[in-house]
Every structure is written in C-alpha cells, then in structure tokens.
Amino acid sequence: MDEKERILKLREELHSHNYRYYVLNQPVISDQEFDMMMHELQDLETRHPELADDSSPTQRVGSDLNKEFVQVAHKYPMLSLANTYNEQDVASWYESVEKALGGEPFEVCCEMKYDGLSISLTYVDGRLTQAVTRGDGVVGDVVTDNVKTIRSIPLVLNGNSVDLFSPSFPHEFEIRGEILMPWKVFERLNQERAEAGEPLFANPRNAASGTLKSQSSALVASRQLDAYLYYLLGDDIPSDGHYENLEAARQWGFKISEGMRKARSLKDIYDYINFWDKERKHLPVATDGIVLKVNSLRQQRQLGFTAKSPRWAIAYKFKAERVRTRLNEVTYQVGRTGAVTPVANMEPVQLAGTTVKRATLNNADFIQTMDLHEGDYVFVEKGGEIIPKIVGVDKDSRAADAKPICFIRHCPECGAELVRYEGEAAYYCPNDSGCPPQIKGRIEHFISRKAMNIDSLGPETVDDYYRHHIIYNIADLYEIRVDQINGDGSREKSARKVIKSIEDSKKVPFERVVYALGIRFVGETSAKLLARHFKNIDALSSAGLEELQEVEGIGEVIAESVITYFHTPENIEIVKRLRRYGLQMSLSDEQLSGRSDRLSGKSIVISGMFERHSRDEYKVLIEQHGGKNVGSISSKTSFILAGANMGPSKLQKAEKLGVPIVGEDDFLAMIGE
C-alpha cells in the first residue's frame, strides 16, 4: 500500500472510530491506538500537502488563526417555537391541530428541548460544507471551521466510510440541531477559570455560545463541545415522517437523541413529559423542556405558520426545580454606575444540573420583603433554568437568635457612604472617581463593541492595566505605550495590536463617543439623539435643562444626568484630553450634509439581504433621514424595507396588517440617493 492509499485508509478508519466513540459511545480501540493512527495520518499529510482535505480527521484540532465570521442568509428561515408551561396549553395545541387537519389522524414526535446554541449544517455528497448559527433567524454567522472541531458532528457521512453501514443520503441536505457544552465540561471549565481569576460562565449555553463564536478554532476544539441534531430539510429527504428522517440521519452518522418517541394521543404526550421531567436530571447536557412536532411533513405544510412560529410544533417548558439550602452570608458587588448589588452566598447545592452557591438578591427592598435573617434556610430556583434566585425562606428552621440582614451603609470597595436617589430601588456609591469597580467598569464600557470597539482589550486586561497603574480613566488609554504592556518583550506583537486598536478607535463617530463616555442613564439610543441634535461636544456640554429636554426622547432624569456629567471637574478634564488625542467630537461633514426629514414620523422594519448597503448602513440612513428603526411588525409600522430572502413569517404578517413593502431601489429613491 503506497502512502496515498494509506492516507485514505487512515481517514476512513479514524472517521469510523470517531463515530463509534463520540456518537455511539461504543469504542473498539484504545485512546492510545487512536492517537497513534492520528499521528501517523498527520505525518503523512505533512509529507503530502497535495492530498490536503478539509474533511480529514486531522482538521478537528482547529487553528489559532483569527478569521472574521461572514454572514449568509438561511435557505430556510430558522423560526422560534411557541412556548407553553402546562398540560392545558398542550391540550389546546393538540386540539387546534386536530381541527386544522379536519379530523385526519396524525402522530406527534416528542423530543428533548436542548438548551444550547442552534446550528444549521449543510452536507453535499456526504461531506460537511457549511455550518451557520441561527443569528436572527434569517441571517446567521458562518462558523464551519469551529464546528469541524466538534467530534460528534460528522465531517464525512457513514456512506463514505468503508466499514460502516452505507445508507443512501441525499446529494444535498440541511440538518439542524443544538451545540452544547456537557455539564462535566462546563463545571471543569469554570473551575479552571476560577483558579485563574477569570470571570465564570453563567451556564452551559452561554459557555457554548461564547466558545463557538471564538475567533480561534483551536480554543473551540479544547472546549469539547457536543451536538444533538433534530431536524432534516431538503428537496430529496427520505421520508414524509420527521421521526423516520431522523432515524435515517442516525444511520448516516449523526447524533440523534435516544429519547425521541412518537405519540398517538394526548396521554402518550403527557406520559413522555412526566417521564423526562424527572429523568432529565440524569442527562449529560442541559435541557429545559420538550418539543412536540406533528410528524408528517405533508401535514406540517398543511398546518403552516403563524407570524412567529410553526403551527405544527410547540415547546413545553419544564417547571423550575426548587432546592433548599443554607444562607451563609450576604456580600455586595459594585457596578459601573456605582449601583450596589447584594449577593447571597449559600451552602453549595445541586440545582438543574449545576452546583449553585450564589444568587443575586436584587436590592435592599428584596432583602426586607423576604425578611432574610443570618443563617436562614432558603428555597432556590433557576429562572428559565439558568439564573439562580431565592424564592422563599424556611422560617420554621430559623434559629431563635438569628439577626435580620441589614443592607450595608458604606461602599465595600472604597468606604464611601452609600446614597439612594429618589425613585431608585438601588443604593449607589457616589465616589465615581475613586471607587475601583466603577473606574474599571467605565473603562470596560468605553472599550465595548457598541462604544469605541477597542476589541484587543477585555475586562481582564483592563483590570491588569489598572493594578499596574497604567490606566486610571478612559483618557489614559490613549497614552499607553508598547513598552508598558509588552511584559519582558515577549508580548510585543500583541502589545502593538492593542495600540493599533486604540488608535483606530479615534475614527469612531461622534454619537458613539457620546455613548462611550458612560453618562448615567444615557444609553445607545439617547446618545444618538443627543449627538444628532447638538452636533458637537461643545454644544452638548453647555446645554441647559430646558434645551436638553427639547430633544425628543430626552426627559428630565437624562437631562439632569448630562448636566451633572459635564459640570464635574474630572469629566471636564477627561473630555478635554479625549479631544486632544483626536477623538471625534462632532458629527462628520457627511453626516451633517446627508440629513433630512424625508422619513420623519415613519417607523420602519428592515428584513432580508441587500446588495447596495448592509442592514446596519440602512439603519443609519433611516435615522439620518428622520425615520425610526423598529424590530417587529405592527399596525403602527409605516413600511418594511425588504431585501432578498425576507422571512416568510414577516411577509405573512405584513400582508395581514396591510403594511407596505418597499424594495431597496425604491427606498433609496425615497431618500434621494
């Protein structure tokens, strides 16, 4: 056997062993034998670069090269499901299906609702060619390189492997499912992050999402993500039955839930729900409910869609699990705005698959309403199976001498006396110029994507620079030198990248600079309103209360906050420095000359893909010409700016409400372009 034949043979065998290990959980060789075969293949491929193949098992290790994600339109929109939380709603859905089908018999496929990141996989001739995230349901990010590192997702289907059952699969098809981080991997990852002093992931879904969106596929490979697939689409799929199609996909090499069942009555559905409401606690990945789908694809097409979801499917969400544990102490966190949040520190307890030992207590009023005492035994649930929250107190177990928990009066970080503003639920630390969490929080806000977008920095780096006395406020960023941040000289490349990213931020438009300043109560939208009304920082900083309130959408609270900000000496100095460093302190000539009121009073929804401008550019154009961007269609929508592949649910709702649809060329003519 020559080396080319050996490469092909090794690839086939490794695909086979990978399938048996990660999908069937039935390995037939040891890890050492697998690794030896992999190393042999890597050596052979290195010697024969002309035989490179994107579907080779060696490609699963990922790369450290950064690649920006591109976006593509889904061939079939990825719609969300309607949710229900009780058996009565399930019965109502079942009866509505019966009625819509005119009494025709139907089956329901019952499946687990996995709590992960939705993914769409395209296969051509048995090879994975594209992986796309859900995105907004119409357009998603292409994450193929990252998905290739997930070993339970086949790169080549079983029909292309010599020693496995070789079923017939379509020339081209799409299969959808969830990318998941198993509980064991999640807890190990958080333990490693805690030991390294890094922020913890809130839940496996967030961890999986953050991992899959990483620009390093090598990092994705190290996180050991998993995947379950649950929906097959295409022009030539094998069966009219959804269940039967997934069973075929299982034979092709996909990981399909073993818990999938067909139901022929409401009783069958209730039995399935009640069984998994208990058994889900033993699953290796997070679930938050059950999905019910009419099994026949013909009947699915007959039932059709509502504006937001299919009529042939519904999601039943499990009731939150509740546990009892001891409250050890209450600690306090200070946020960017100075808001002080109490946190319950509890005896660790298992809840919905994870170990829980902390929960937010919201504010002082919550503590008082719950009548919390030191050492209380409390009842804890997870809101939406994600965020732990205290929902009650076992007062019968309270010690006789237990003392009520009283909210602190001084900042736990800097010692300043806390204040509570009229109408506010939270207490605040007023020492905004000297309280470390507030200082670092404002810098983190300043560098964020929607503000100055200094993407080479993150919270950990900000904390490091602050502790090493490199930065004390947002203006200090523009004085950082390479020699300050390149360590012993080994990090010069990354240091120069940071400096370049900071330098590039000087081109960020004025309205985002206003948002980046971190003025209390001034969010992204109000920053745009202020920037476009006053046009430059001098006019904005000198505006009085009445003048500020003349801006539509700016009330007294925001106006007073703006005045306070620009009359604080520290802030005045920071703005002066930012101007001196070259940040945009006024609207550009292009923005000033391109404004009109041609869309004044109009609420516009954008949908689909466009040729002449991006969706974000069209949002800017709408606002420049006096219009308002809105995310959903209603009777108040003036029109829909529609591109290619407009979602069918939006089109259906627009037709129902009589909302006009305007094409790209007509819209540009409307604004005079």
Side-chain angles (χ1 to χ4, degrees), residues 111 244 257 341:
E111 308 167 19
E244 290 73 19
S257 170
T341 303

Side-chain angles (χ1 to χ4, degrees), residues 324 367-373 376-379 392-400 402:
R324 176 180 175 272
I367 292 174
Q368 187 173 7
T369 301
M370 296 295 292
D371 187 27
L372 287 175
H373 283 55
D376 269 348
Y377 281 87
V378 294
F379 298 106
V393 180
D394 183 1
K395 295 183 179 179
D396 293 337
S397 300
R398 178 179 290 166

Side-chain angles (χ1 to χ4, degrees), residues 368-528:
Q368 187 173 7
T369 301
M370 296 295 292
D371 187 27
L372 287 175
H373 283 55
E374 295 174 358
D376 269 348
Y377 281 87
V378 294
F379 298 106
V380 186
E381 291 182 359
K382 276 192 177 181
E385 298 286 318
I386 296 173
I387 303 170
K389 59 181 180 180
I390 291 177
V391 295
V393 180
D394 183 1
K395 295 183 179 179
D396 293 337
S397 300
R398 178 179 290 166
D401 59 348
K403 297 178 180 178
I405 292 173
C406 298
F407 203 89
I408 57 173
R409 294 299 177 217
H410 293 85
C411 176
E413 297 287 343
C414 69
E417 186 173 353
L418 302 181
V419 297
R420 190 174 189 178
Y421 302 105
E422 185 177 352
E424 290 278 340
Y427 278 92
Y428 288 84
C429 169
N431 183 22
D432 55 359
S433 62
C435 186
Q438 295 188 64
I439 295 170
K440 290 184 285 187
R442 283 196 299 276
I443 297 172
E444 290 167 18
H445 169 77
F446 185 81
I447 66 176
S448 64
R449 183 176 62 84
K450 290 186 177 182
M452 302 305 290
N453 193 27
I454 304 177
D455 57 4
S456 296
L457 296 177
E460 297 89 354
T461 314
V462 168
D463 181 63
D464 181 60
Y465 290 178
Y466 181 83
R467 285 188 292 104
H468 287 87
H469 312 295
I470 296 172
I471 54 175
Y472 292 98
N473 59 51
I474 58 177
D476 290 339
L477 289 165
Y478 295 91
E479 292 188 351
I480 295 176
R481 305 185 311 274
V482 170
D483 62 275
Q484 290 178 294
I485 59 174
N486 71 347
D488 58 2
S490 61
R491 299 201 300 266
E492 183 168 343
K493 185 177 180 180
S494 61
R496 292 193 180 281
K497 185 179 178 182
V498 169
I499 299 300
K500 184 180 184 302
S501 187
I502 292 172
E503 186 67 24
D504 289 345
S505 74
K506 295 177 182 179
K507 301 172 186 175
V508 165
F510 174 55
E511 56 198 31
R512 281 170 53 190
V513 174
V514 173
Y515 173 61
L517 292 176
I519 304 170
R520 192 168 174 226
F521 303 125
V522 175
E524 190 180 0
T525 300
S526 51
K528 287 180 181 178

Side-chain angles (χ1 to χ4, degrees), residues 3-4 6-12 14-15 34-48 51 55-59:
E3 290 192 337
K4 177 180 178 180
R6 181 59 178 163
I7 286 173
L8 297 177
K9 179 67 174 176
L10 282 169
R11 286 173 179 169
E12 290 173 348
L14 285 167
H15 280 310
F34 184 93
D35 290 341
M36 288 175 63
M37 292 171 66
M38 182 68 79
H39 288 314
E40 182 185 356
L41 178 58
Q42 287 172 328
D43 291 341
L44 287 169
E45 288 182 343
T46 300
R47 291 207 296 269
H48 294 279
L51 298 178
S55 298
S56 171
T58 59
Q59 299 305 300

Side-chain angles (χ1 to χ4, degrees), residues 148-207:
K148 283 183 176 181
T149 70
I150 302 172
R151 296 179 182 271
S152 53
I153 292 179
L155 304 180
V156 178
L157 299 186
N158 284 348
N160 285 12
S161 188
V162 296
D163 66 336
L164 291 173
F165 173 65
S166 180
S168 173
F169 42 73
H171 159 64
E172 181 175 351
F173 65 90
E174 181 180 337
I175 190 165
R176 292 176 177 175
E178 297 284 310
I179 303 292
L180 302 148
M181 180 173 284
W183 287 117
K184 287 183 179 178
V185 177
F186 171 73
E187 295 199 335
R188 187 180 72 241
L189 177 62
N190 262 355
Q191 183 178 351
E192 291 171 354
R193 293 174 73 86
E195 291 170 355
E198 297 176 353
L200 304 186
F201 285 114
N203 52 69
R205 184 185 63 193
N206 284 6

